[in-house]
Amino acid sequence: DFDELISLTEGEDKKRINRRIGLLAYCHILEAEPPYELLANLLRCAKGEKFHLKPFGHIQAKLAQKDKKKWGKRSIFDPSSPPLPVKKKFDHIKALAKEAGFPELNEHIDKFLDLDIRNAFSHANYIQTEEEFRYFVDEVPRAIKHEELVPKVLLSFRFIVALKMVVNTFLHEFSKKEK
């Protein structure tokens, strides 16, 4: 549990450590595939399409096609197939949401999704001061105040919790159907 992990930190460095743990969890949330595969499939179903075991497989297949030497003829089901870039995953979800008639979903995603912050943290290309998170985008320095950054991180957690609730609701409803 995130709150329990945060409660373990003490002393003067508590805020700095909490922010770093929060950013680590934020990056994991953005990188995860299973929750977004579920979301992509819910959106596919809302569009009248069928469930797909690998709803991002076509993206991975294109990546493998671009670099045949590295990836060969691996199946999209091969765990060593090309990794799914975060941007491409969210671009696909946002396109599905728009096509399915849920543009408000994209507004929620846009409130927490910041690929520049994700990239800076994941590649250790940042520093934290007491007031802000400083990083570079294409060699241009950027900064975001912690008061702006922390809500993005918390919104990503809330998004995943809400998604889990939606999936659980669907599973519960499907379990009630007569067989």
Side-chain angles (χ1 to χ4, degrees):
D1 178 66
F2 182 71
D3 291 329
E4 186 178 330
L5 185 61
I6 294 296
S7 71
L8 297 175
T9 60
E10 295 181 15
E12 292 180 24
D13 290 335
K14 186 172 183 168
K15 278 187 178 181
R16 183 181 56 79
I17 292 168
N18 289 351
R19 286 191 295 258
R20 187 164 290 168
I21 291 170
L23 282 164
L24 179 64
Y26 174 76
C27 291
H28 281 280
I29 286 170
L30 298 184
E31 293 286 341
E33 283 188 34
Y36 301 107
E37 287 173 340
L38 287 168
L39 178 56
N41 271 312
L42 287 173
L43 292 168
R44 286 172 56 87
C45 291
K47 288 175 46 181
E49 295 178 8
K50 293 182 178 179
F51 173 89
H52 194 289
L53 193 57
K54 293 294 275 185
F56 303 113
H58 65 288
I59 298 169
Q60 290 171 297
K62 284 180 187 174
L63 293 170
Q65 185 69 24
K66 282 183 182 177
D67 195 351
K68 286 183 188 177
K69 188 174 182 179
K70 180 177 181 181
W71 298 107
K73 292 190 177 210
R74 294 183 188 153
S75 162
I76 60 170
F77 300 104
D78 185 331
S80 64
S81 62
L84 181 64
V86 175
K87 181 178 181 347
K88 290 187 182 294
K89 173 174 52 184
F90 278 99
D91 285 349
H92 184 62
I93 286 171
K94 290 169 88 173
L96 285 171
K98 186 176 179 183
E99 293 165 11
F102 296 102
E104 64 276 6
L105 179 60
N106 294 340
E107 294 169 19
H108 290 293
I109 289 171
D110 289 339
K111 288 178 184 175
F112 70 82
L113 180 63
D114 192 319
L115 296 176
D116 292 334
I117 290 170
R118 177 250 168 229
N119 292 340
F121 186 83
S122 293
H123 300 287
N125 191 19
Y126 73 96
I127 60 168
Q128 281 194 83
T129 68
E130 287 297 316
E131 298 83 30
E132 59 192 16
F133 178 86
R134 296 179 185 172
Y135 57 105
F136 287 90
V137 176
D138 297 326
E139 299 182 20
V140 176
R142 302 257 175 100
I144 182 171
K145 299 276 185 202
H146 291 302
E147 296 84 42
E148 296 171 51
L149 178 57
V150 170
K152 281 181 185 279
V153 171
L154 293 175
L155 281 171
S156 72
F157 299 163
R158 290 181 184 134
F159 185 83
I160 291 296
V161 168
L163 178 57
K164 183 179 177 189
M165 291 170 63
V166 167
V167 169
N168 286 343
T169 300
F170 273 91
L171 291 174
H172 179 71
E173 290 301 316
F174 286 137
S175 71
K176 289 198 252 178
K177 289 200 174 220
E178 289 183 30
K179 299 187 180 188

